[in-house]
Amino acid sequence: FFSGRFKGEGLKPDEVQSALQGDGSFSVTNGEWLNLDLMGPISRLQPLENAALPQGAPTAFNDFKITWTYAGGKFDASSFILYSDPFWAEGKGTLSLDGALNGRLEVYLSNLLTQKVLESWGHKGKAEDQRIGPFPFLLVGNFSSPGVQEDERQMENFLSDVKARRFRRILADPFKKA
């Protein structure tokens, strides 16, 4: 589903394109992002290597929702949500008309994978409605072939909490509003 409004003025296509502005939303239900592998970078993190997490592209998802604005030749998503069975990701970023992608992601593992990871660490308790996260990543490259990189500055602190098993810091409920 796509909804949006655009406005712009000009006599020539390049004049209209440079003045074009807009806003709207976009959503896909039950889809796949063919060349995106979000679980691979998580499963390769040292504290999670023994949990045997799924990985690989494509990333199948239940819902992908974006709220966007458009100006200066690029879409700016102030928020987007990607929900699948193994994870929940929230983010923001930009997409240019030529497909250049630049965004930030916070990824939370599903209840099932959170429990699997906790068990791999020898933790006996239940996670209930909490999920391990947020794993901080950057989404870069081209929309048709995106790259997922660790947000090194934030990942260092998060992994420190993971290694120390600071469950109050690494378990969250991304569905509850503060």
Side-chain angles (χ1 to χ4, degrees):
F1 300 96
F2 178 89
S3 69
R5 298 177 307 185
F6 290 95
K7 65 180 179 177
E9 295 181 1
L11 297 175
K12 298 178 183 174
D14 58 333
E15 292 173 352
V16 173
Q17 185 175 356
S18 65
L20 195 61
Q21 296 181 354
D23 59 58
S25 64
F26 174 80
S27 70
V28 177
T29 301
N30 296 327
E32 289 183 333
W33 197 335
L34 293 179
N35 294 315
L36 177 66
D37 177 11
L38 274 178
M39 288 302 301
I42 293 172
S43 67
R44 289 187 291 273
L45 293 171
Q46 190 276 324
L48 301 166
E49 289 174 331
N50 295 329
L53 297 175
Q55 57 182 313
T59 293
F61 55 84
N62 302 356
D63 287 301
F64 183 35
K65 298 179 181 182
I66 301 172
T67 303
W68 55 267
T69 58
Y70 179 84
K74 66 180 177 180
F75 291 91
D76 186 353
S78 58
S79 72
F80 64 84
I81 297 170
L82 184 65
Y83 174 72
S84 73
D85 290 335
F87 65 86
W88 168 276
E90 299 174 327
K92 60 183 176 181
T94 61
L95 175 65
S96 69
L97 289 179
D98 64 358
L101 187 61
N102 185 10
R104 294 188 171 278
L105 294 174
E106 292 184 338
V107 182
Y108 300 84
L109 296 182
S110 69
N111 287 356
L112 181 66
L113 290 183
T114 293
Q115 195 61 46
K116 187 175 184 178
V117 169
L118 292 176
E119 288 170 4
S120 78
W121 292 342
H123 182 68
K124 304 284 187 225
K126 292 277 185 191
E128 299 300 326
D129 290 330
Q130 294 187 317
R131 301 156 192 274
I132 293 179
F135 293 90
F137 288 104
L138 302 173
L139 191 58
V140 297
N142 193 284
F143 185 79
S144 63
S145 185
V148 178
Q149 301 173 353
E150 293 179 18
D151 184 339
E152 291 180 14
R153 199 175 65 233
Q154 294 184 27
M155 186 66 83
E156 185 177 321
N157 293 333
F158 181 74
L159 288 179
S160 174
D161 291 337
V162 167
K163 289 174 185 172
R165 308 295 193 257
R166 294 184 187 113
F167 295 116
R168 290 183 188 179
R169 291 187 183 179
I170 63 171
L171 291 174
D173 186 348
F175 302 108
K176 287 186 180 176
K177 298 294 179 200

